[in-house]
Amino acid sequence: MEPILNKQPKFIGIAGATGYTGEELLRILKRHPYLSVEFVTSENEAGTALHDYYPDLQGYAGYRFIALEETVNFKVDLVFLCLPHGQSAQWARPFIQQNAKIVDLGADYRFDTPEEYKKWYDLDHPEPDLLSESVYGLPEWNREVIKTARIVGNPGCYPTSVLLGLLPLLKEKLITGNSVVVDSKSGVSGAGKSPSKTTHYVQVNENLTAYKAGRAHRHVGEMEQEIAKYSDFSLKVVFIPHLVPLTRGLYSTVTFQIHKDVTAQQMRDVLHQAYDAEPFVHVMDTILPGIKMATSSNHCFLAADVVEETRTGIVFSAIDNLGKGAAWQAVQNMNLMLGFPEETGLNA
Ligand SMILES: NC(=O)c1ccc[n+]([C@@H]2O[C@H](COP(=O)([O-])OP(=O)(O)OC[C@H]3O[C@@H](n4cnc5c(N)ncnc54)[C@H](OP(=O)(O)O)[C@@H]3O)[C@@H](O)[C@H]2O)c1
């Protein structure tokens, strides 16, 4: 293994490696030239050989899952926490104490305050000090602070798709009104590996259902937190997520009121200005995005339009929920935090 730009290889741990985001990380990190995965955890599969659990995952011969408690024996530079919310909050501390950095793929380190976390997740945050130093891991908007952060809260899948489209338009003051309506469709892997009545194949196959519509979904809080940083007026999110019969992929259509005389071309120009230099966000001018464009990648595809009669702005956004919406974005954050070129291992 050749060091890159005089940097030494880094040592990585994955907590929650039997889940969907953990599996995706294992696949990406295998292609990353300057890392060594030191441990993979599972409580239910502790002791199981990784190859027995993922027979199709090449390159991890000799690896076994260990329980989180056993990770104290390992010295690593960064840990990906791919755990349910509530779990990551408490597991960040032991790794930080060993000078490891954290990328939490769950929601525990995405909020600016314990009060907002409690409001949306109905839990007292066990580590408010760590929460206050954590950084929201949307690299296109927070790149410089991510580089020096000890803890990054990797954004949620729905918020990633929505914020990438909205933030440039908010920053340039093209949006008005008091609400944005977010219609999102997600593949079923977004719900994690444990099946439930609503994610059962028989329920999802050849079906389309909305769920937690309005302001019931927890991602509303995360979206509003970040939106507030780029607008000088209150903008509420009306969110209508849907489950669609896809394994992976996420599509958001966001509508909002625009100021008089704002044109579709102006919206596209603002998006181009924000993202033309970005490797993973692409603004489309002639056709609309589709979910397949982003499958198994860190890419986000955006388009914008205007309905002049009603002064309605529309942004279309396609990502992979496990890609830019989770594991691939987590690796982008890791690259920034460890000083690797941002695109390392992410070219798909
Ligand atoms: N799926 C997505 O598209 C997506 C997108 C963005 C963010 N996220 C977030 O990322 C995190 C992981 O998501 P996922 O979809 O990978 O979840 P998942 O498929 O349900 O996997 C969860 C992982 O956490 C482990 N785990 C569960 N309960 C645990 C506990 N009490 N203590 C320790 N480990 C425990 C599981 O291990 P064992 O069961 O083997 O013990 C498994 O490895 C979640 O917070 C989720 O909200 C997911």
Side-chain angles (χ1 to χ4, degrees), residues 39 71-77 92-101:
F39 66 74
T71 58
V72 288
N73 302 318
F74 292 83
K75 181 96 187 84
V76 291
D77 296 292
R93 173 76 65 187
F95 293 119
I96 288 283
Q97 280 171 340
Q98 293 186 51
N99 291 325
K101 296 185 173 193

Side-chain angles (χ1 to χ4, degrees), residues 61-291:
Y63 281 79
R64 284 186 187 278
F65 296 107
I66 60 169
L68 268 162
E69 294 285 355
E70 297 173 63
T71 58
V72 288
N73 302 318
F74 292 83
K75 181 96 187 84
V76 291
D77 296 292
L78 184 141
V79 179
F80 292 101
L81 300 177
C82 307
L83 305 172
H85 69 267
Q87 292 300 319
S88 303
Q90 47 193 303
W91 278 102
R93 173 76 65 187
F95 293 119
I96 288 283
Q97 280 171 340
Q98 293 186 51
N99 291 325
K101 296 185 173 193
I102 300 286
V103 178
D104 177 19
L105 283 83
D108 288 352
Y109 288 100
R110 292 177 193 156
F111 283 91
D112 292 343
T113 66
E115 291 77 21
E116 278 299 297
Y117 177 73
K118 167 114 180 154
K119 176 175 164 189
W120 293 99
Y121 285 83
D122 199 22
L123 287 174
D124 290 317
H125 203 289
E127 295 285 3
D129 291 349
L130 292 182
L131 180 65
S132 68
E133 72 165 84
S134 67
V135 168
Y136 192 70
L138 198 59
E140 288 74 15
W141 291 85
N142 292 337
R143 182 168 281 120
E144 291 311 311
V145 280
I146 291 167
K147 284 180 185 171
T148 55
R150 290 200 302 175
I151 306 180
V152 163
N154 209 55
C157 46
Y158 288 124
T160 295
S161 70
V162 172
L163 294 170
L164 285 173
L166 272 186
L167 295 189
L169 307 175
L170 282 168
K171 191 169 164 232
E172 294 305 318
K173 302 189 185 308
L174 304 191
I175 296 178
T176 183
N178 58 14
S179 63
V180 295
V181 178
V182 177
D183 174 305
S184 295
K185 315 225 164 30
S186 173
V188 186
S189 60
K193 69 169 181 168
S194 298
S196 70
K197 190 179 165 207
T198 48
T199 61
H200 194 293
Y201 178 84
V202 175
Q203 174 68 15
V204 172
N205 184 43
E206 297 181 50
N207 200 1
L208 191 152
T209 46
Y211 68 103
K212 295 186 180 168
R215 294 178 56 74
H217 196 288
R218 287 163 166 156
H219 284 179
V220 169
E222 188 183 328
M223 287 189 249
E224 287 183 351
Q225 169 181 283
E226 297 308 305
I227 283 172
K229 294 173 185 170
Y230 297 90
S231 69
D232 48 15
F233 58 99
S234 170
L235 203 55
K236 296 283 182 203
V237 172
V238 178
F239 184 35
I240 309 148
H242 299 76
L243 263 191
V244 291
L246 296 171
T247 300
R248 56 197 294 165
L250 195 159
Y251 199 95
S252 291
T253 306
V254 188
T255 51
F256 42 84
Q257 285 298 112
I258 48 174
H259 285 290
K260 194 166 180 290
D261 299 331
V262 170
T263 63
Q265 190 55 49
Q266 197 178 352
M267 297 221 302
R268 286 195 277 272
D269 288 347
V270 165
L271 292 176
H272 274 297
Q273 199 180 3
Y275 296 127
D276 279 357
E278 290 292 342
F280 299 118
V281 186
H282 314 283
V283 183
M284 306 175 71
D285 294 316
T286 52
I287 57 170
L288 296 179
I291 275 181

Side-chain angles (χ1 to χ4, degrees), residues 288-303:
L288 296 179
I291 275 181
K292 276 191 183 174
M293 293 172 185
T295 303
S296 296
S297 82
N298 197 41
H299 297 295
C300 170
F301 292 89
L302 296 173

